[in-house]
Amino acid sequence: MATDFWASSHYKRWITDRATLKQARAEDLQYVDDPEHLEFLDIYFANAIAKLGRKLQLRQRAIATATVFFRRFYLKNAYCETDPFLVIAACCYVAAKAEESPVHIKNVVTESRTLFSQHYNVKNFPSDNSKLGEMEFYLVDDLECDLTVFHPYRTLMALCKKESSTDEDDETEAGEVGVGISADEGQRYWGSSEDKLEMSEAALQMAWHIINDTYRGSLCLLYPPHLIAIAAIYLTQVFHRPSRDNLSTLLQPPSSTAPHPRRSSRNAAESKKHQDPVTFLAELNVSLPLIATISQEIIALYALWDRYKDDSLPDTSSSSRQSPLSATGGCASRSRSGGTPQSEAADDHRVTPAFLSNLLMKMRENRLTDLAHPPTGRPVAVNKMLERTQAAG
Amino acid sequence: MDAVERANVERQKRWVKDQKVGEGTYAVVYRGREASTGRKVAIKKIKVGQFKDGLDMSAVREVKYLRELKHQNVIELLDVFSSKTNLNLVLEFLDSDLEMIIKDRSLVFLPADIKSWMAMTFRGLEFCHRNFVLHRDLKPNNLLIASDGQLKIADFGLARDFADPGYKMTCQVITRWYRPPELLFGCRYYGTAVDIWSVGCIFAELMLRTPYLAGESDMDQLKTIFRALGTPTEQDWPGHTKLPDYITVGQFPKTPLRDLFTAASPDALNLLSKCLIYEPRRRISAKDALHHQYFFAQPHPSYPSKLPKCATQLATAQPLEEVDANVDMESTVAGGKGGPIKARPKRKLNSPYDDSKSRSIARRLDFTQPIPGS
Ligand SMILES: Nc1ncnc2c1ncn2[C@@H]1O[C@H](COP(=O)(O)OP(=O)(O)OP(=O)(O)O)[C@@H](O)[C@H]1O
């Protein structure tokens, strides 16, 4: 399902807004001290999915699909009432099937148990296949059987090409970047390669990684994938080009905007050999202020991520961990504390996975206490709210 | 009951299951109807069993593609809902299939009838291909016929996306008689042309009223094809001898299609021959097929409602043994007054620890179990 995004379940049922996202986290919000911790959890879970996905040797696309499944599931469920790790395993398991690279259920169980107990302090991941099978059923049910997910990668490959590359080169490129849409297929829907924006290999890689990184936030629930791709291209241009002034003026506030962003149907009429980025972006039939908004949200996500310290490093490939901003933003490596569960997030305003694992556990415990009607007669959630309002006022 | 569960119950109430009409590898099919309108539907209950092996890959594919594809000539998935531990797909009810019609000796096909079925098949297929979906199991028995005569492509259990080119795919697809030579030679990178070959075989079968290339084994299938169409030369099909499972099965001369299809029009034979071109890249596309002269020449395709129909209906009544799905609804609805987290009845089946108060294990946390690290 690659063509008609506007007729897809993805567009019709799964593009949502901030208010809905907020509503979906309402229950969890009662159990955290700082609402920001929920945003850190978004990163934390995305990292966990990526790690499990890599262990299962899933393609980037399947990992992205698993992440989208996870986000969609938690539009309808609360972290504190579910077992997110079992959900993660189910997301990877279903995504592998949906993306035609099925993995045996036993494999998923084994890898999950190992990974989650080593890095996430999850000691009770069920060893029984049928528990994962059961979770798969609830997941598919809550996904309303919508298993086709669109991703920005294809748009990226359709809009951009490597500098001075011929169409043939596109396919021989290393890594998954090369496995995008073929020149031939691309041509059918996106015009000839002459219309494509030329980028250096490094820039193309960067755009690819920016797209990967967007899955650490909620962008995939908020915006159509091709707009996320275009934002990634825009950001890449900003980071990579001296002429960034041109671009920022281009994206300055409300000029006349297309009210409803449609897929970029680019006029094949004038095909120039070398597209310059400004013209390129201007010619895409999309709302540029919207692209600017998405870009800002991506940058905000990087800012957040810079304050997140992943202390479980072994298999995090350096390239995917390196945010374009951290190169410029100068975040020196901190000493690893070993993440004592009790340590506050505070020290240097960094949040660690250990802290979040602990937070998750507490959220559940408190939820449980609430449900069991505590002897104080005052549910924990209420206490938390009281504390917060008292602290605030 | 939370909003999600309530929505599901609503959907579940919308449909009523009647008797069982058939069974496939991963599903049981019931006849049913829409409660409010009485509209006839088929309810396909996917067996999840004891969850040991997870959802069947065919079920995943079928659901994945049918959720997206909406076209007059593709079977319509009207709704999905869960009951207990089953996923239920609500499909439009389709009485018969093209295989039954072909086999029904009491029916006479006019050339205009065949043209009509072919046009509907190509229209449905063109839509799939336009959306980058390969069907990979086209055969008369997967072309279902609605009561108004419309033909609908069904059974997407082997379908897949081909939008990422250069991605290796299995060659173990398509029922043998409809399988193209490139797959029989083990080709792992293929495209829409595989479905076109199948349609060619169906086209021939409509004219002959018997399967055209009925091989008895995969090896024999190649021989059967070559006997009918001549052994391909390097010129017919450049590079085919380099395919992974290439074998020689003997030299057969080309015989004109006309020798076998004596009654067919030249246009029909021309289109047929273009569906059965050896070199996949030169085989006609569904889109070009729809623009082929055959579809514009006289006679015009029959109106679907005027097409020959089977007397014997698919849905012969069977004992009312398995009328379920709705039995549990009362308890689901009644669950609304208990604790803050309700157990959905469907969860009870598979959770040995469950009693009336306990919570589901999977979707929601099982609070009866120790919390990790605590
Ligand atoms: N939409 C429908 N309308 C009416 N009857 C149907 C419909 N779909 C399926 N059936 C009936 O149910 C039977 C089982 O269908 P199903 O699609 O599950 O399996 P199949 O395709 O026949 O076999 P397999 O699953 O092994 O490929 C069919 O043979 C047919 O009799």
Side-chain angles (χ1 to χ4, degrees):
Chain A
M1 297 300 305
T3 33
D4 201 356
F5 176 72
W6 306 106
S8 68
S9 62
H10 188 150
Y11 176 66
K12 286 193 280 199
R13 287 190 283 272
W14 297 103
I15 297 289
T16 180
D17 54 31
R18 293 247 168 234
T20 313
L21 286 185
K22 203 168 162 217
Q23 181 59 34
R25 292 279 70 76
E27 203 148 16
D28 290 321
L29 196 57
Q30 300 180 312
Y31 299 98
V32 293
D33 295 319
D34 182 348
E36 209 179 35
H37 290 163
L38 292 177
E39 290 174 48
F40 283 111
L41 277 178
D42 282 350
I43 301 178
Y44 169 89
F45 288 132
N47 286 353
I49 293 168
K51 274 186 198 153
L52 179 59
R54 262 180 259 127
K55 285 220 183 285
L56 297 169
Q57 297 180 312
L58 300 184
R59 294 182 299 153
Q60 186 59 47
R61 196 188 153 77
I63 292 175
T65 298
T67 315
V68 174
F69 286 167
F70 183 86
R71 303 263 183 255
R72 289 180 181 181
F73 180 82
Y74 282 109
L75 279 176
K76 300 177 170 188
N77 293 277
Y79 298 139
C80 64
E81 284 192 350
T82 52
D83 179 351
F85 291 97
L86 190 55
V87 176
I88 286 173
C91 287
C92 287
Y93 181 49
V94 179
K97 287 194 264 194
E99 298 295 344
E100 291 288 344
S101 41
V103 187
H104 197 276
I105 190 166
K106 186 76 227 160
N107 237 352
V108 182
V109 168
T110 313
E111 293 294 349
S112 300
R113 272 173 71 81
T114 315
L115 176 71
F116 295 149
S117 73
Q118 277 173 5
H119 296 293
Y120 295 91
N121 198 27
V122 174
K123 304 301 181 201
N124 66 339
F125 192 92
S127 55
D128 173 5
N129 295 358
S130 66
K131 286 286 172 289
L132 180 56
E134 189 179 354
M135 187 65 237
E136 175 189 40
F137 171 73
Y138 299 134
L139 173 65
V140 172
D141 192 16
D142 278 358
L143 294 176
E144 295 170 39
C145 290
D146 292 331
L147 304 181
T148 299
V149 180
F150 286 70
H151 295 292
Y153 303 109
R154 218 168 258 159
T155 309
L156 174 67
M157 297 323 295
L159 292 179
C160 303
K161 64 173 176 181
K162 207 168 64 175
E163 234 157 40
S164 68
S165 75
T166 62
D167 292 344
E168 284 71 31
D169 285 351
D170 284 346
E171 281 168 63
T172 55
E173 241 177 72
E176 187 124 14
V177 175
V179 194
I181 204 155
S182 84
D184 191 40
E185 223 85 74
Q187 222 156 343
R188 278 160 70 185
Y189 295 97
W190 296 94
S192 74
S193 99
E194 259 130 56
D195 296 329
K196 289 190 182 187
L197 178 66
E198 284 199 354
M199 289 167 100
S200 70
E201 178 155 11
L204 209 50
Q205 286 289 347
M206 181 187 262
W208 184 271
H209 287 307
I210 291 175
I211 291 173
N212 285 349
D213 293 341
T214 60
Y215 289 97
R216 288 177 167 85
S218 310
L219 280 92
C220 59
L221 293 175
L222 294 169
Y223 304 106
H226 66 280
L227 295 183
I228 296 176
I230 293 166
I233 295 168
Y234 164 66
L235 285 174
T236 305
Q237 294 298 329
V238 172
F239 293 131
H240 252 251
R241 289 187 63 95
S243 61
R244 57 184 72 157
D245 296 342
N246 294 341
L247 279 164
S248 46
T249 49
L250 178 67
L251 291 188
Q252 257 347 232
S255 50
S256 61
T257 70
H260 204 75
R262 300 292 296 189
R263 172 201 282 281
S264 56
S265 60
R266 306 178 40 214
N267 286 331
E270 32 181 327
S271 50
K272 283 168 245 85
K273 194 75 200 129
H274 296 282
Q275 286 271 356
D276 82 287
V278 180
T279 328
F280 172 81
L281 285 168
E283 278 180 1
L284 293 173
N285 185 17
V286 295
S287 151
L288 292 176
L290 186 54
I291 298 297
T293 305
I294 298 172
S295 305
Q296 273 156 12
E297 287 182 27
I298 296 175
I299 290 170
L301 179 61
Y302 279 126
L304 191 77
W305 193 12
D306 268 351
R307 290 163 47 215
Y308 177 85
K309 196 180 68 168
D310 204 330
D311 52 2
S312 52
L313 287 165
D315 62 325
T316 0
S317 76
S318 57
S319 59
S320 74
R321 176 61 185 91
Q322 202 136 45
S323 77
L325 286 184
S326 66
T328 48
C331 64
S333 59
R334 313 279 152 135
S335 64
R336 271 182 249 160
S337 67
T340 39
Q342 295 89 342
S343 73
E344 287 299 342
D347 292 19
D348 45 5
H349 294 289
R350 269 159 193 268
V351 167
T352 64
F355 169 78
L356 293 171
S357 299
N358 190 48
L359 172 69
L360 269 177
M361 233 170 330
K362 276 201 228 142
M363 286 168 71
R364 280 198 226 171
E365 270 172 45
N366 290 340
R367 178 67 183 160
L368 172 60
T369 318
D370 273 3
L371 294 172
H373 300 295
T376 64
R378 219 151 142 248
V380 179
V382 176
N383 286 341
K384 274 266 191 274
M385 278 193 304
L386 278 179
E387 267 170 42
R388 264 209 303 269
T389 42
Q390 276 157 7
Chain B
M1 187 178 329
D2 61 30
V4 179
E5 293 172 19
R6 218 173 301 126
N8 186 55
V9 170
E10 284 307 313
R11 289 211 305 277
Q12 198 177 325
K13 271 196 210 156
R14 216 183 126 187
W15 311 104
V16 183
K17 247 182 222 176
D18 296 325
Q19 76 263 40
K20 183 172 162 181
V21 294
E23 182 154 6
T25 28
Y26 66 89
V28 181
V29 181
Y30 300 84
R31 195 170 63 188
R33 67 203 133 82
E34 186 170 19
S36 58
T37 63
R39 174 184 180 180
K40 224 167 154 189
V41 296
I43 298 180
K44 192 163 181 171
K45 187 176 88 178
I46 296 174
K47 304 172 193 167
V48 189
Q50 294 303 301
F51 296 121
K52 275 202 207 61
D53 308 312
L55 276 176
D56 189 274
M57 190 67 189
S58 305
V60 169
R61 290 193 182 114
E62 180 135 88
V63 159
K64 177 181 173 189
Y65 295 113
L66 286 185
R67 270 308 252 179
E68 310 290 329
L69 297 171
K70 293 271 173 289
H71 186 272
Q72 184 166 40
N73 299 115
V74 173
I75 188 169
E76 187 178 357
L77 178 61
L78 300 163
D79 199 3
V80 287
F81 66 90
S82 57
S83 61
K84 295 189 289 184
T85 55
N86 297 299
L87 281 180
N88 295 270
L89 313 184
V90 183
L91 298 158
E92 52 183 329
F93 191 87
L94 301 167
D95 303 88
S96 58
D97 61 56
L98 204 55
E99 185 186 14
M100 295 165 65
I101 294 181
I102 290 172
K103 284 188 173 155
D104 187 335
R105 288 285 151 194
S106 68
L107 303 175
V108 176
F109 298 174
L110 300 173
D113 299 336
I114 295 177
K115 193 174 289 185
S116 179
W117 284 315
M118 290 308 294
M120 291 189 282
T121 306
F122 274 125
R123 267 185 233 128
L125 187 59
E126 190 276 326
F127 178 75
C128 295
H129 288 175
R130 194 179 345 132
N131 284 285
F132 289 97
V133 176
L134 300 181
H135 185 281
R136 305 198 302 179
D137 197 17
L138 290 175
K139 54 182 173 184
N141 139 313
N142 283 337
L143 301 178
L144 304 188
I145 308 290
S147 50
D148 64 358
Q150 284 289 342
L151 177 150
K152 317 259 178 181
I153 299 179
D155 198 347
F156 283 74
L158 273 174
R160 75 162 289 172
D161 209 284
F162 65 99
D164 287 327
Y167 195 69
K168 233 179 177 173
M169 301 186 272
T170 174
C171 52
Q172 295 303 316
V173 292
I174 307 187
T175 306
R176 190 194 304 127
W177 297 347
Y178 306 89
R179 199 182 299 157
E182 66 267 29
L183 293 184
L184 292 162
F185 281 146
C187 183
R188 309 293 298 275
Y189 301 93
Y190 51 84
T192 52
V194 298
D195 286 335
I196 298 294
W197 180 276
S198 308
V199 175
C201 296
I202 296 166
F203 192 8
E205 188 167 337
L206 282 167
M207 296 192 268
L208 299 171
R209 299 294 293 264
T210 183
Y212 174 43
L213 302 168
E216 276 157 21
S217 63
D218 287 3
M219 176 91 89
D220 184 55
Q221 186 63 33
L222 277 169
K223 208 182 241 178
T224 308
I225 293 172
F226 296 164
R227 211 180 282 128
L229 299 164
T231 307
T233 63
E234 184 63 21
Q235 201 176 15
D236 292 332
W237 185 3
H240 73 281
T241 55
K242 306 282 188 323
L243 288 173
D245 302 337
Y246 175 76
I247 36 157
T248 46
V249 291
Q251 287 299 317
F252 300 95
K254 288 183 183 41
T255 45
L257 288 173
R258 162 140 330 281
D259 291 0
L260 183 61
F261 301 90
T262 46
S265 72
D267 288 328
L269 287 188
N270 184 279
L271 177 57
L272 176 62
S273 68
K274 287 187 166 158
C275 294
L276 299 176
I277 290 176
Y278 281 126
E279 193 188 357
R281 292 169 53 187
R282 289 197 299 126
R283 219 170 282 156
I284 197 166
S285 68
K287 192 171 170 209
D288 289 345
L290 285 171
H291 290 107
H292 191 275
Q293 176 60 24
Y294 169 68
F295 290 113
F296 300 97
Q298 297 283 352
H300 292 308
S302 311
Y303 284 113
S305 58
K306 299 277 190 323
L307 286 167
K309 266 200 201 104
C310 275
T312 51
Q313 295 247 302
L314 189 69
T316 42
Q318 282 181 16
L320 271 160
E321 25 165 357
E322 290 192 64
V323 182
D324 67 352
N326 299 314
V327 257
D328 271 8
M329 290 211 342
E330 266 67 28
S331 58
T332 314
V333 177
K337 288 237 156 62
I341 297 181
K342 270 55 149 214
R344 291 154 86 177
K346 66 178 186 185
R347 292 172 185 149
K348 286 183 189 159
L349 270 193
N350 287 272
S351 323
Y353 312 108
D354 255 355
D355 58 45
S356 58
K357 301 190 299 299
S358 75
R359 324 238 128 73
S360 76
I361 290 183
R363 181 168 170 264
R364 293 277 176 83
L365 265 189
D366 177 12
F367 288 115
T368 61
Q369 303 264 297
I371 286 172
S374 65

